[in-house]
Amino acid sequence: MFDTYKLKKWISWPLIRAHLCTVAVAVGFTSTWRAPREAFRYGGLTFALVLTLAFVVVALPVVLLQLAIGQLSQQDAVGVWRAVPFFKGVGYLRLLVTTLSAIYTSVYLSLVITYSLYTLSNNIPFPECMGFYITPEIYVNAMNSSECLDETFLAPASEKPEYFLAVALILIVLWILFPFIFYNPVKFMKRIFYALGPLIVLVTFIILIAHGDKGNLSSFARSSDWMNFLRPDIWHGAIVQALISSQVAGGFLISAGDSVYSSTNVQWTAVAIVGANLLACWIGMIFWYSVTGPVKHTGVLAVLEQVYQTAEDDQLNKTWTLLVFALLFLSGVVSTLAFLYPVYDRLRRLGGLKWRVTSIACSLLGACLSVATLAGRLPALTLIEDTATPMLISLTTILEILPFIFIYGWKLLVEDVEFLIGAELVRYWVWGWCAAPGVIAPMFVWWLTVNSMDVWEWNQPPWSASTASVIAVLALLIFAIAAAVSVKKQVQFDFFGKLHSSFVPSRQWGPRDPITHYYWLACREETDRGNVPRCRYQRRPLGQLSTRPSFLVVPNTPLKMETKQRSNSDDWLYTTNRRKYLSRIVERYVGTRKRSKSLDWDVAGAAKKYLNVSLDSILSVNNNDVVFKGASEKVLK
């Protein structure tokens, strides 16, 4: 028979809510836009196999690492570096990655909205994109989807200012709305995820059932694509895609460990997150191969161009096009919120009202950067998404794993995870932590070297190489400034002492709750002595005045804790048992079931009844030894 307690624990409502967020994030732009585009470039089955390997070998261990340190420390991507203060700049690099991702994602989202609004009043092909030339038999449209995009919404602002202003206004409106969405970051964002996640899944399957064609899947596995295994782009691209899909790249999991996944088992949650994202990427690639034709676009706007081209070639109804745009819009909203959450979470931790003012200022800055990216058109989007962001993701992931494994110590990290899950950690995770940098670094160097050696025309500026150089210098500058500030803040008196202290966990590292922090230190001391307690850590949930138990669960207790209204402190365990003990003592010796008011009242009452010592005499004697000496003599008699 099923264990009722375990069944209730597995299907608990907090767990369901957490994994509803997992489903929502998994079906964002990373699986409906980016993964299909990478599959169009390198071949569907080819890229899917490499992506699966990247998820298992690289993404899965890093997901557990970020979830564990986020849930334990209850900090954001910058605050967790109290474990190794010298590397605090890695946290700011994470915020830079998620900011860049939010910028180009908001541009894509604005283009989707603009395409949807324009399709409502115009049929595909658009009137501006109907270029014809004469053949012996018929007039033929000579403008494809890429050329149509260049002639309309991505046209130069000097040539087509009306299209540029339309997309720019939508961009500004989106960035103005973000501070209001993140006014209550955790609650509002999770409610949006609860609604959009199942809705995106439903719309995907409706489109797939209505317009999917098995014949189109023949291009998903082509023998000519196997040669792509020899290219560094597919390997590095799969690693970057796995890290972006699993939300490792921007530090979302670190902040979510304190909010979304605060009451879950980090080990099984990591498996659930990676499994959901891997399944979503496979479904996303199969979806786009089944609903589009054999000709595939490979640019950064490949999915958007593919929708337009398919609707034009197959002369599909406008409803189908709008439904696909709705799918992309919902996915874009989810991804934008997931990318921006670490940034707003960092601003929120500033405290007071100033974080809201700062968030509005950052939103205005993000709107300006997004409009500038839109003005740069496809070259700017390509440089940001295909060069700058992958480079930062690879560098930041390597710099994040190495300090925690070799400076903070993998043994301490294992103890922390075991403290969270209350069980022994499988050694696969430790092997994955050690192997991940060894997999990312060679692929990153191979990809960077090959791209730098590509033949380019001398009369054209080397934008790709220049972007890589700027990103490397910027990352080094951010890291050096943050490290210098961390060293300066140390309390040692000489430089070498401060430098050494910056490689040691600070006193603020660990759980913020004082009682949880005490248990965490106690477990470490017991482990150092040779005892290995498997104590389960559960952080106090949001809303500390609720009557539910928070982080201390005492098994095999004689009290009925499920019916006991607990206090806001864990001292109730001691006080409740002490009161019951005193009531039994009074009932045994005094003969009444009336609960004592205090321990002093008990001593005085017992002395008065059995030893004939009055309360006034006890209170009047300064030296208590006299009273107890007389009492002991009467007992002996």
Side-chain angles (χ1 to χ4, degrees), residues 416-430:
D416 292 340
V417 178
E418 290 178 348
F419 176 71
L420 295 174
I421 65 178
E424 186 175 359
L425 187 66
V426 181
R427 290 301 173 186
Y428 159 79
W429 301 104
V430 181

Side-chain angles (χ1 to χ4, degrees), residues 354-431:
K354 61 181 180 180
W355 83 269
R356 305 190 188 281
V357 179
T358 308
S359 65
I360 294 175
C362 290
S363 294
L364 295 177
L365 178 60
C368 295
L369 293 176
S370 298
V371 172
T373 303
L374 178 65
R377 306 169 63 208
L378 285 177
L381 290 170
T382 304
L383 288 176
I384 293 176
E385 188 176 5
D386 290 346
T387 302
T389 304
M391 186 174 178
L392 277 174
I393 290 174
S394 299
L395 287 174
T396 307
T397 306
I398 295 172
L399 290 176
E400 182 179 67
I401 299 175
L402 291 179
F404 272 101
I405 297 300
F406 298 107
I407 299 179
Y408 180 73
W410 66 269
K411 291 185 178 180
L412 291 179
L413 190 59
V414 169
E415 293 174 6
D416 292 340
V417 178
E418 290 178 348
F419 176 71
L420 295 174
I421 65 178
E424 186 175 359
L425 187 66
V426 181
R427 290 301 173 186
Y428 159 79
W429 301 104
V430 181
W431 299 337

Side-chain angles (χ1 to χ4, degrees), residues 600 604 613-622 624 627:
D600 296 334
V613 180
S614 65
L615 180 62
D616 295 333
S617 62
I618 293 177
L619 297 177
S620 61
V621 178
N622 292 329
N624 291 334
V627 177

Side-chain angles (χ1 to χ4, degrees), residues 22-91:
T22 301
V23 172
V25 174
V27 294
F29 257 5
T30 55
S31 60
T32 61
W33 184 293
R34 199 177 192 281
R37 185 204 68 188
E38 296 293 297
F40 294 161
R41 290 180 177 180
Y42 308 114
L45 183 61
T46 307
F47 182 75
L49 293 176
V50 180
L51 180 62
T52 303
L53 186 63
F55 266 112
V56 175
V57 176
V58 177
L60 186 56
V62 186
V63 168
L64 176 66
L65 175 65
Q66 289 198 352
L67 275 177
I69 61 178
Q71 191 179 100
L72 179 70
S73 64
Q74 304 160 25
Q75 294 289 337
D76 62 321
V78 178
V80 295
W81 287 104
R82 293 173 178 176
V84 189
F86 186 82
F87 289 85
K88 191 175 183 179
V90 178

Side-chain angles (χ1 to χ4, degrees), residues 170 178 184 190 219 232-233 255 278 297 327 338-339 385 398 468 485 501 533 579-580 586 619 629:
I170 294 176
F178 290 144
N184 193 339
K190 290 198 296 186
S219 60
D233 295 351
S255 297
L278 179 58
H297 297 270
L327 172 65
F339 285 137
E385 188 176 5
I398 295 172
V485 173
S501 181
R579 288 173 181 172
K580 287 185 173 292
V586 171
L619 297 177
K629 182 178 180 181

Side-chain angles (χ1 to χ4, degrees), residues 215-231:
N216 293 333
L217 291 177
S218 59
S219 60
F220 187 73
R222 295 181 300 187
S223 57
S224 59
D225 294 333
W226 299 112
M227 293 298 295
N228 289 326
F229 283 132
L230 302 178
R231 297 175 56 186

Side-chain angles (χ1 to χ4, degrees), residues 340-362:
L340 285 177
Y341 175 60
V343 178
Y344 283 92
D345 183 46
R346 179 59 185 172
L347 298 177
R348 178 178 62 88
R349 293 177 187 272
L350 296 176
L353 296 176
K354 61 181 180 180
W355 83 269
R356 305 190 188 281
V357 179
T358 308
S359 65
I360 294 175
C362 290

